[in-house]
Amino acid sequence: MVADKNLSVTINGGESKQSTTTTAAIIFTYGTLKRNFSNHPLLQDLIKTNDASFIGTYRTVQNYPLVCGPYRVPFLLNIPGSGQPVYGELYSVSSFGLSRMDELEGTAKNHYERLPIKVVRAEEDEDGRETEEVTVTAAEAYFAHGNYAMEMWKKNGKRGLKCYTEKETIGYVKRKDRPQHLTFLDQIQLFLSD
């Protein structure tokens, strides 16, 4: 756990970005918490109170499956070596911010589990090719809980996404609009058994 009041993150090219967030964790987001997606307002609120800070666009060092589950909800599966490099955003968050994100992701309810992941800055050259990145950043990500991850991978035909984009959100149903008489784990089990 990092506890620096002023976190300095060095990114590709030696540029340094200062953050005044008291950092409890560095979190890699790959789905609805990214900018312009449905759960990003949580991060916007945390940024306003200095409980989170945007670091940049990153990708995983290893291949991982990124799939959609019930209601087009994105799930990163902790099956390293399967899938492909996953692109997302990196944030430093305070302990308060981390508790809010854990609540959203349902870590206490076994929806997701926050686990270590290694990422690198994702940058492209003028021809659109990814540049070589040598600095690996240790972070954490919210992975689908291990209780159902392998079933989710099989349900998706063992095909994963590189990036959760607007295309994948077609058919996404916000939490408030989902059946309220079922838990999210019930909804996941129905999706997997369908």
Side-chain angles (χ1 to χ4, degrees):
M1 182 181 289
V2 182
D4 296 332
K5 180 62 181 163
N6 293 304
L7 174 71
S8 177
V9 178
T10 303
I11 58 177
N12 200 22
E15 178 186 342
S16 183
K17 184 174 183 173
Q18 288 287 343
S19 168
T20 58
T21 302
T22 301
T23 304
I26 304 295
I27 300 292
F28 176 71
T29 65
Y30 55 83
T32 61
L33 280 166
K34 294 189 309 181
R35 291 171 296 174
N36 301 316
F37 288 89
S38 63
N39 286 322
H40 188 68
L42 171 62
L43 278 168
Q44 288 174 314
D45 290 346
L46 294 174
I47 289 168
K48 286 178 191 170
T49 59
N50 288 326
D51 286 299
S53 178
F54 177 76
I55 297 173
T57 302
Y58 281 68
R59 69 165 172 80
T60 60
V61 171
Q62 288 187 284
N63 290 354
Y64 285 94
L66 173 60
V67 299
C68 289
Y71 310 111
R72 304 296 295 161
V73 173
F75 292 89
L76 187 62
L77 308 179
N78 191 19
I79 310 172
S82 297
Q84 52 192 322
V86 174
Y87 288 75
E89 297 173 353
L90 205 63
Y91 292 85
S92 63
V93 296
S94 70
S95 56
F96 174 75
L98 193 59
S99 68
R100 293 283 312 279
M101 292 176 78
D102 282 353
E103 181 182 346
L104 175 80
E105 300 293 1
T107 57
K109 297 176 181 178
N110 295 333
H111 299 169
Y112 291 85
E113 42 191 354
R114 184 169 33 88
L115 300 170
I117 193 167
K118 292 182 179 172
V119 295
V120 293
R121 182 106 176 145
E123 291 190 2
E124 295 180 349
D125 63 17
E126 59 277 356
D127 296 322
R129 292 181 302 238
E130 193 168 323
T131 58
E132 276 299 311
E133 174 62 57
V134 295
T135 305
V136 174
T137 300
E140 293 177 283
Y142 291 96
F143 287 90
H145 196 278
N147 290 341
Y148 60 84
M150 189 55 76
E151 289 179 72
M152 190 73 74
W153 183 224
K154 291 175 186 172
K155 176 73 174 181
N156 279 273
K158 294 189 176 184
R159 287 187 308 272
L161 305 167
K162 183 175 172 176
C163 187
Y164 186 75
T165 65
E166 287 184 29
K167 176 184 168 191
E168 284 73 41
T169 63
I170 296 170
Y172 176 80
V173 178
K174 291 182 180 182
R175 189 173 297 179
K176 67 179 181 60
D177 298 326
R178 299 176 197 155
Q180 299 301 305
H181 67 286
L182 296 172
T183 68
F184 190 49
L185 288 177
D186 291 338
Q187 294 166 12
I188 290 168
Q189 288 307 316
L190 284 171
F191 173 79
L192 293 173
S193 64
D194 184 21

